[in-house]
Amino acid sequence: MEGEQLPEASSQADERSRLVVVKHEPFNAETPPEALAAARTPTPSFFVRSNSAEPELSLATHRVTVEGAVEHPFTLKVAELARGPLRSLPVTLECAGNGRTSMTPLPEGEPWQQGALGTAVWSGVPLAEVLQRARLKPGALEVLVEGADGDASKRFARALPLAKALHPDTLLALEMNGAPLTRAHGAPMRLLVPGWYGMASVKWVTRLEVRTQPFEGYYQRERYIYDRGDGQAIEPVTRMQVKSLITSPAEGTRVAPGRVVVQGMAWSGERRVVRVEVAVDGGDHWRAATLLETPRPSAWVRWAFTWEGAKAGRHTLRARATDEAGETQPERAPWNRLGYGNNAVPVRVVEVG
Ligand SMILES: Nc1nc2c(c(=O)[nH]1)N[C@H]1C(S)=C(S)[C@@H](COP(=O)(O)O)O[C@H]1N2
Ligand SMILES: [Mo]
C-alpha cells in the first residue's frame, strides 16, 4: 500500500485544481457549479473553508484529549478509532457565509457565491460513544471541540450544546466518500454536525472538553452570530435554513425552445424537504417540481421540473423549497452584518432559442 501513495504535495495540487479559489492563504475555495449537479460531491471538488493555515497531523500518531466535566479523562488514539466500526451518513455541508455576495449592502467576510456547499458520505464514530467512555459528570452543558489550527489565542474551537453532541448522527468523522479524510477537510479526524452550518464541523480535532459553563471563544462569540445591526438580540448561527439550488440549465447556457428540464437540489438543516416549486418568469405562479429521491434529514434531495413550451427569448427561473416544519425560502433573506444564512430563492436567467 505504502508505495502506491501519491506524494502529499502533488495530490493536494491536483485536488485544488478542480476548485474555484476564493483565497490562497489560508486556502478557501468553492465547489465548481458542475460538481454541484451530482448527488454526491467528489472530494477533489468539495469546497474548502479554513480560517487559518491547514495543520498537518498524522493519523498514525495523533491523539485527542477528552477532559473537563468527566469522571474519566483520557487520551484517544485516533488510529484506534479509525479501525472501526464506523457509521456512514450522507450529509450536506454548507458554509454559513454561502451566498454572502448576493446580500445588499455587501457584508464583510469571504466573498462566497453559491459554491460553499457540498454533500459527501461521511464515516466516523458517534461523538456520544467517546463521551460515554469518559462518563459525563452532572452539570455537563456543552462539548467544546478544539481544532489544531489558529494561534494559541485564537484556536478554531466551537462548543456544541450537549443534546446535539449526544445525537447519534453527530460523528467524529475519519472518512469522506469512502477514503480517509484529506488534509484540507480535517485529517485525520473532524467533527461532523449534520444539519448545522459548516462552522460546527470542526476540522483537525485535538481536544474535547465537557463544559458546565458557556464557552466564549472568538469563533463562538465574535463570528458565526446573526447580528442584524438593529439592536435585536444577537443569535448564534446553528442549523442550516431551508434552501434550494438550480443546477440545470447552468448559468449562461442557451437552451432550445419547447421542453426544458430544470433540475436542482434542496435541503433544510435537520429537517426533510417536503416540496420544491418552480416559477417561470416573475410573478406568483409556482408549480410543483418532482423530488427525485426520498428526502432525508441533513442531506439534500435532487428535484426536477419539466418546463413545457419555452419560447425564444430571455426568461427567469426561480426555485423555492419548503421543509416539514412548513418553512419556505424567502425571496430575500434578512440582512445581517456578517452575511450569514442567505437562503433566498435562487434566480437563474436562461436564454431560449
Ligand atoms: N479547525 C477548523 N475547523 C473548521 C474550520 C476552520 O477554519 N478550522 N472552518 C469551518 C467552516 S466555517 C466550515 S464551512 C467547514 C468547511 O469544511 P470543509 O473545508 O471540509 O468544506 O469547516 C469548519 N471547520
Ligand atoms: Mo463556514
Side-chain angles (χ1 to χ4, degrees):
M1 272 305 282
E2 241 177 7
E4 287 170 27
Q5 275 176 5
L6 288 169
E8 169 77 11
S10 73
S11 64
Q12 204 174 55
D14 182 45
E15 184 161 322
R16 293 185 168 180
S17 67
R18 308 210 193 167
L19 295 164
V20 181
V21 175
V22 172
K23 187 154 92 183
H24 286 277
E25 301 280 344
F27 188 72
N28 283 278
E30 298 198 12
T31 303
E34 63 277 10
L36 289 171
R40 302 287 174 257
T41 315
T43 303
S45 303
F46 198 102
F47 84 98
V48 176
R49 198 292 178 255
S50 298
N51 284 272
S52 313
E54 295 170 358
E56 188 166 5
L57 307 172
S58 140
L59 170 65
T61 58
H62 189 56
R63 286 172 159 77
V64 171
T65 45
V66 185
E67 59 192 17
V70 294
E71 304 287 354
H72 293 292
F74 72 105
T75 304
L76 182 73
K77 290 182 182 158
V78 176
E80 274 176 23
L81 213 61
R83 275 185 222 127
L86 303 181
R87 180 171 161 75
S88 295
L89 298 167
V91 170
T92 296
L93 215 57
E94 182 184 18
C95 181
N98 194 32
R100 174 182 288 135
T101 51
S102 330
M103 278 185 161
T104 317
L106 185 63
E108 54 185 277
E110 303 303 328
W112 300 111
Q113 297 192 61
Q114 292 302 337
L117 173 70
T119 299
V121 174
W122 306 87
S123 307
V125 174
L127 175 61
E129 280 182 22
V130 170
L131 296 174
Q132 271 150 21
R133 277 168 63 181
R135 302 233 315 271
L136 301 184
K137 283 188 176 167
L141 178 76
E142 57 182 34
V143 179
L144 178 69
V145 182
E146 198 175 273
D149 56 324
D151 55 36
S153 64
K154 246 195 198 180
R155 286 253 176 280
F156 192 89
R158 297 268 319 165
L160 198 61
L162 193 65
K164 188 67 179 167
L166 294 179
H167 191 286
D169 290 348
T170 298
L171 301 180
L172 285 167
L174 296 139
E175 296 181 1
M176 177 181 184
N177 292 328
L181 287 182
T182 60
R183 183 174 166 190
H185 295 293
M189 187 169 83
R190 77 179 301 167
L191 188 67
L192 185 79
V193 183
W196 283 39
Y197 283 112
M199 75 284 141
S201 293
V202 178
K203 304 192 278 192
W204 311 294
V205 172
T206 54
R207 194 168 76 90
L208 303 174
E209 181 197 333
V210 178
R211 296 180 57 97
T212 55
Q213 297 293 325
F215 175 62
E216 314 228 315
Y218 177 79
Y219 292 106
Q220 193 82 32
R221 287 299 176 97
E222 306 291 327
R223 287 289 176 271
Y224 311 117
I225 48 171
Y226 291 114
D227 176 357
R228 315 256 182 233
D230 58 358
Q232 274 185 47
I234 288 174
E235 288 168 55
V237 173
T238 58
R239 57 178 300 279
M240 293 186 289
Q241 308 196 66
V242 63
K243 190 163 170 180
S244 64
L245 175 74
I246 299 171
T247 56
S248 178
E251 184 85 55
T253 49
R254 180 178 286 274
V255 298
R259 173 178 291 183
V260 178
V261 177
V262 183
Q263 279 180 284
M265 309 295 187
W267 64 101
S268 180
E270 294 136 331
R271 301 177 189 150
R272 291 176 187 83
V273 166
V274 293
R275 187 163 65 246
V276 175
E277 297 153 292
V278 172
V280 179
D281 297 327
D284 242 351
H285 187 49
W286 293 93
R287 287 178 286 169
T290 305
L291 303 184
L292 299 183
E293 56 236 353
T294 307
R296 46 180 298 154
S298 312
W300 66 27
V301 57
R302 287 179 297 161
W303 55 264
F305 173 82
T306 307
W307 171 23
E308 304 279 2
K311 294 198 173 63
R314 175 180 291 168
H315 297 273
T316 57
L317 296 170
R318 285 176 296 160
R320 179 171 85 174
T322 301
D323 70 21
E324 59 190 330
E327 284 202 29
T328 299
Q329 284 181 263
E331 291 281 341
R332 190 189 245 263
W335 186 88
N336 57 97
R337 184 174 58 86
L338 298 170
Y340 295 131
N342 187 357
N343 67 334
V345 159
V347 182
R348 172 66 32 92
V349 177
V350 186
E351 305 288 346
V352 179

